[in-house]
Amino acid sequence: MKQAAASHHREISHKTSVRRPSVLGRLRKDKWMYLLLTPGVLYFIIFKYVPMWGVLLAFQNYQPFLGFWKSEWVGFEHFRVFFENPEFFMLFRNTLLLSLYNLLFFFPAPIILALLLNEVRISIFKRSIQTLIYIPHFISMVIVASLTYVFLTTEGGVINELLNKYIGTKIDFLSSPDWFRPMIIIQTIWKECGWGTIIFLAALAGVDVEQYEAAIMDGANRWKQTWHITLPSIRSTIVILLILRMGHVLDNGFEQIYLLLNPLNREVAEVFDTYVYMVGITQGAFSYSTAVGLFKAVVGVILVFGSNWLAKRFGQSGLY
């Protein structure tokens, strides 16, 4: 009996060892897949990982004429100056509020739009709507800012001309601090909402149709089907995208903010991205601006890992 068990164990071990190909064998077997993967890997290595050595400038008093190796090392001095800067809390507040508004208003918008598109049964009508809502994603932010100016300027702007015609007054949208954040959120929703539906529509395509049929047999209406079947089915996709979004809490994008920024709304419009440009490019404070950028990156990494941990704690599938 013992000999039979030992023989059976050796046979299983032999089969397992036979079935496990070597690294070279896996590379040879999937060579075309790895070849297709090569451009993407090279892109990240060359343009993402290699430039990371530049974060060391945050710990130097970098002087271009001295070069990287001869510039003075100052440790965390730039971080201390940044945190003691009176503008730090203004920048942090503005950046955080814009990110919060994006999470509250922009993040759910593609989900809602995808759910609505998923209910459209006429194929040609659905494809036409998708094409129309995808187009703004490919429009340059400079064009979007120009359109915003054309519509909202007090000197002949379409919106202000209508306001003046019907209520007898004009609103200075472009210079008013109260209107800056709503403009940014509306721009973001208009430009990126349609493009964001692609992932959710792909997730919705994988929902089991038999679940809807069973729900209909039980008397569930469309709202109950959406709440109890559709949303739970794409919950993992929503959670993963939310975790990734948390990594960009302090990253509001440079172009969009910079193009609408002016001295009259600076108190609510200046964020870390525009501040880095101002002090790093226009004033030549390379080390100081690198320290600000590194601070943003560290906060983003912490938020990604923290939100992933929370997702796991609540029983959701995270990034890893």
Side-chain angles (χ1 to χ4, degrees):
M1 194 71 181
K2 291 181 179 179
Q3 290 178 352
S7 175
H8 181 65
H9 178 72
R10 283 195 301 270
E11 184 179 351
I12 293 175
S13 300
H14 176 69
K15 289 181 179 179
T16 304
S17 61
V18 170
R19 291 176 182 173
R20 185 180 301 162
S22 63
V23 175
L24 186 60
R26 290 198 298 268
L27 289 174
R28 188 181 296 111
K29 178 184 177 182
D30 301 320
K31 59 183 177 181
W32 297 115
M33 183 186 69
Y34 288 111
L35 185 62
L36 290 173
L37 191 64
T38 302
V41 172
L42 289 176
Y43 168 79
F44 278 95
I45 291 175
I46 296 172
F47 295 104
K48 299 296 182 180
Y49 289 101
V50 172
M52 285 180 68
W53 71 271
V55 300
L56 294 176
L57 267 67
F59 307 98
Q60 290 183 321
N61 185 17
Y62 178 72
Q63 301 295 331
F65 59 88
L66 291 177
F68 177 78
W69 299 110
K70 293 184 180 180
S71 296
E72 179 188 4
W73 292 86
V74 296
F76 291 92
E77 178 65 19
H78 295 301
F79 294 93
R80 183 189 64 80
V81 173
F82 176 55
F83 294 141
E84 292 178 355
N85 191 328
E87 293 186 332
F88 170 76
F89 292 102
M90 178 196 74
L91 296 169
F92 192 78
R93 181 194 67 229
N94 294 343
T95 305
L96 207 60
L97 281 175
L98 276 177
S99 295
L100 179 62
Y101 291 154
N102 272 317
L103 285 175
L104 289 176
F105 299 105
F106 169 67
F107 184 78
I111 303 173
I112 297 171
L113 186 56
L115 292 173
L116 293 174
L117 285 172
N118 193 53
E119 297 298 320
V120 178
R121 294 293 176 259
I122 304 175
S123 180
I124 188 171
F125 183 57
K126 181 177 181 180
R127 289 199 300 268
S128 301
I129 295 176
Q130 286 179 280
T131 302
L132 290 174
I133 62 178
Y134 291 165
I135 289 174
H137 171 77
F138 300 98
I139 299 177
S140 168
M141 187 54 70
V142 176
I143 304 299
V144 175
S146 300
L147 291 173
T148 304
Y149 179 83
V150 169
F151 276 95
L152 300 180
T153 180
T154 55
E155 302 299 327
V158 177
I159 303 298
N160 268 310
E161 288 300 319
L162 291 174
L163 290 175
N164 187 46
K165 180 179 180 180
Y166 290 106
I167 64 176
T169 185
K170 293 184 179 182
I171 301 175
D172 194 0
F173 295 101
L174 299 175
S175 300
S176 173
D178 296 331
W179 283 100
F180 177 79
R181 293 186 184 117
M183 279 195 304
I184 294 294
I185 302 303
I186 292 171
Q187 275 188 352
T188 304
I189 292 175
W190 178 79
K191 188 174 187 298
E192 300 296 342
C193 182
W195 188 255
T197 60
I198 294 176
I199 296 177
F200 295 109
L201 286 172
L204 289 170
V207 180
D208 189 1
V209 180
E210 293 182 357
Q211 296 185 44
Y212 293 111
E213 294 174 353
I216 293 172
M217 294 294 293
D218 292 336
N221 56 28
R222 298 303 300 176
W223 167 249
K224 290 183 178 179
Q225 292 175 40
T226 301
W227 185 257
H228 295 288
I229 298 175
T230 308
L231 287 176
S233 298
I234 64 172
R235 184 185 301 155
S236 59
T237 303
I238 296 173
V239 170
I240 290 174
L241 290 177
L242 181 59
I243 292 172
L244 293 174
R245 179 66 194 171
M246 294 302 294
H248 297 278
V249 164
L250 297 185
D251 185 10
N252 298 120
F254 167 74
E255 282 186 347
Q256 184 181 17
I257 308 295
Y258 183 74
L259 291 169
L260 293 179
L261 177 66
N262 58 63
L264 296 177
N265 62 17
R266 181 180 180 272
E267 190 65 25
V268 298
E270 190 82 83
V271 295
F272 287 123
D273 296 301
T274 56
Y275 183 72
V276 166
Y277 170 79
M278 183 186 70
V279 299
I281 304 300
T282 64
Q283 299 179 11
F286 301 111
S287 294
Y288 180 75
S289 60
T290 304
V292 179
L294 183 58
F295 165 74
K296 283 177 46 188
V298 170
V299 172
V301 170
I302 292 172
L303 288 174
V304 167
F305 280 98
S307 55
N308 187 77
W309 177 81
L310 283 175
K312 292 276 191 172
R313 291 279 294 178
F314 285 100
Q316 301 299 318
S317 57
L319 294 175
Y320 55 89

